[in-house]
């Protein structure tokens, strides 16, 4: 296959390493990998097949030494001075992060935010297959999104018994979240991507939860703007 | 005013400390404050006016010693054994984070995600006033959201000259982001809440940028699910 002519190969065609050789990667590196994933993906999109740590450093605003340290654990860089093989690194990072692992998800709550997520390319880009949409609102149930029809929550249990569901995206109203998430756990769903702001009742490893608190990000921006304002405002008498 | 009868006071009525006494708070504490903000807000909603560090610790799943350390810098806890005054702490955190500072924002790109954000209570809860919505799509321009009408991007410059705009929420397509963000800088907008995934060209303090990468959160969940799957899968021959 000529990679240059096809920089955005489907995920299934990416070269993958032997599973038994899956490298051990520290938690700190894991946390930084999604960012590498984004940049490498963009480089592939641009058809760039090799990049030096210096170039990547300038692009990502991270020291070249940090980059070398982070990417060292994957091995197989190619020669000094020749740079990284973008496609190889991308495939390695995909493998480690579980892109191409065939994860499946359902979305619970197809209001504004649920709809925005379903319609984005976010899941597809990361190899996640959205296989079901659920809501209770009469004006939402039975509406169509691409090849999927929004089903009623009453059918959730049957759906989860008939399909392998790895995780649920929670974009339903906050007051229903605890009940629904406990139901999902009982149905064998292993993970929750929680946008509701509700605190979920799982403190052990009975459920893998990733919370998104957009409001916290907004607060950080607020704080920086107020601090900036104090610096730039003329002194008052 | 009887706080007990009115646990959710409007932001403007919250007791505020003297500006000149604004406490110095470390960056590490600042990063944790939005989470305290959420929990304290919920306690106020429940009408709870006092809480011990032990109770708050159990609720937030943080050590009581961490809580005491974080909240020490605000002073004025009340007596040992009597607990924290929830309202006072909430007001202090609001003050530090800039809730009630009267920040104004515009939303650029009123597609699915922009709409979801505008319709949420996120801004109002944090004292941010959304004063303008902008788009270019003919089917979106002139549509109404609450009291706001989506304006065409052609009118952005005039709007920013006539109104104080502290920050812009960027939910427009990625390919237009750099141009629009540079225009916003020229118009004196100081901050960007960037949902586009695009890398913005500001590396100095010419613009305060808060990036939201939902995909990174999804990747983290993917990773944890795959790691979990390896642990739980039966060994293959």
């Amino acid at each position: 296959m000529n990679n240059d002519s096809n920089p955005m190969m489907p995920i299934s065609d990416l070269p993958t390493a032997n599973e038994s050789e899956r490298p051990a990667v520290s938690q700190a590196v894991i946390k930084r990998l999604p960012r590498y994933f984004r940049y490498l993906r963009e480089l592939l999109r641009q058809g760039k097949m090799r990049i030096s740590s210096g170039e990547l450093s300038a692009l990502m605003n991270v020291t070249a030494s940090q980059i070398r340290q982070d990417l060292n654990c994957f091995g197989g860089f190619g020669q000094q001075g020749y740079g990284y093989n973008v496609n190889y690194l991308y495939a390695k990072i995909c493998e480690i992060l579980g892109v191409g692992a065939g994860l499946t998800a359902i979305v619970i709550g197809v209001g504004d935010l649920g709809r925005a997520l379903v319609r984005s390319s976010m899941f597809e880009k990361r190899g996640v297959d959205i296989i079901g949409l659920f809501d209770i609102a009469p004006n939402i149930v039975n509406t169509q999104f691409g090849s999927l029809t929004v089903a009623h929550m009453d059918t959730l249990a049957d759906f989860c018994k008939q399909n392998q569901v790895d995780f649920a995206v929670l974009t339903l109203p906050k007051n229903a979240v605890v009940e629904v998430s406990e139901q999902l756990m009982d149905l064998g769903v292993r993970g929750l991507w929680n946008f509701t702001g509700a605190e979920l009742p799982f403190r052990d490893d009975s459920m893998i939860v990733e919370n998104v608190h957009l409001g916290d990000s907004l607060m950080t921006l607020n704080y920086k703007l107020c601090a900036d304002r104090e610096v730039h405002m003329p002194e008052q008498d």
Side-chain angles (χ1 to χ4, degrees), chain A:
Chain A
M1 180 166 35
N2 180 351
N3 289 344
D4 289 330
S5 66
N6 181 19
M8 292 311 290
M9 290 180 287
I11 285 158
S12 56
D13 290 350
L14 284 170
T16 54
N18 187 323
E19 272 298 313
S20 63
E21 288 169 14
R22 189 167 167 133
V25 181
S26 77
Q27 284 303 311
V29 176
I30 291 293
K31 264 187 96 167
R32 288 194 289 268
L33 285 186
R35 188 153 183 259
Y36 285 105
F37 169 82
R38 277 190 274 118
Y39 278 86
L40 290 169
R41 193 182 161 84
E42 179 61 26
L43 289 170
L44 282 178
R45 214 184 54 78
Q46 292 167 8
K48 195 155 168 80
M49 284 299 157
R50 294 221 155 245
I51 190 163
S52 68
S53 55
E55 284 175 283
L56 198 53
S57 154
L59 196 64
M60 293 184 63
N61 206 20
V62 177
T63 65
S65 128
Q66 170 84 79
I67 286 177
R68 279 189 296 267
Q69 201 180 310
D70 283 350
L71 302 184
N72 249 336
C73 42
F74 311 146
F77 295 156
Q79 311 89 304
Q80 174 87 24
Y82 190 51
Y84 295 110
N85 178 322
V86 175
N87 201 52
Y88 175 83
L89 269 187
Y90 180 71
K92 268 293 187 190
I93 289 173
C94 283
E95 182 201 339
I96 292 164
L97 291 179
V99 178
L103 291 178
T104 56
I106 57 176
V107 177
I108 300 189
V110 196
D112 290 316
L113 181 58
R115 195 174 299 137
L117 294 174
V118 170
R119 283 182 176 155
S120 78
S121 56
M122 197 182 303
F123 296 100
E124 198 192 343
K125 276 184 185 168
R126 288 163 185 81
V128 174
D129 201 9
I130 299 288
I131 59 171
L133 310 175
F134 296 88
D135 208 297
I136 54 167
N139 61 326
I140 295 177
V141 172
N142 287 326
T143 55
Q144 193 81 16
F145 288 87
S147 62
L148 294 174
T149 305
V150 180
H152 194 280
M153 281 296 283
D154 289 348
T155 67
L156 178 67
D158 282 343
F159 185 90
C160 291
K161 284 169 196 161
Q162 285 157 25
N163 298 276
Q164 164 71 27
V165 177
D166 290 307
F167 69 95
V169 183
L170 301 182
T171 43
L172 68 165
K174 205 170 173 173
N175 56 10
V177 172
V178 170
E179 190 188 340
V180 167
S181 63
E182 283 171 345
Q183 187 190 2
L184 289 165
M185 187 185 69
D186 293 341
L187 290 166
V189 175
R190 295 290 302 133
L192 301 174
W193 199 21
N194 177 26
F195 283 82
T196 66
E199 198 69 15
L200 299 183
F202 312 104
R203 293 221 167 152
D204 47 17
D205 64 356
S206 60
M207 188 61 104
I208 296 166
V209 179
E210 179 73 15
N211 295 304
V212 179
H213 287 294
L214 292 178
D216 288 9
S217 165
L218 177 58
M219 286 302 246
T220 306
L221 180 62
N222 273 16
Y223 169 76
K224 289 181 189 164
L225 283 166
C226 289
D228 175 76
R229 190 193 266 177
E230 283 180 9
V231 172
H232 287 89
M233 286 277 272
E235 289 264 339
Q236 305 273 321
D237 286 327

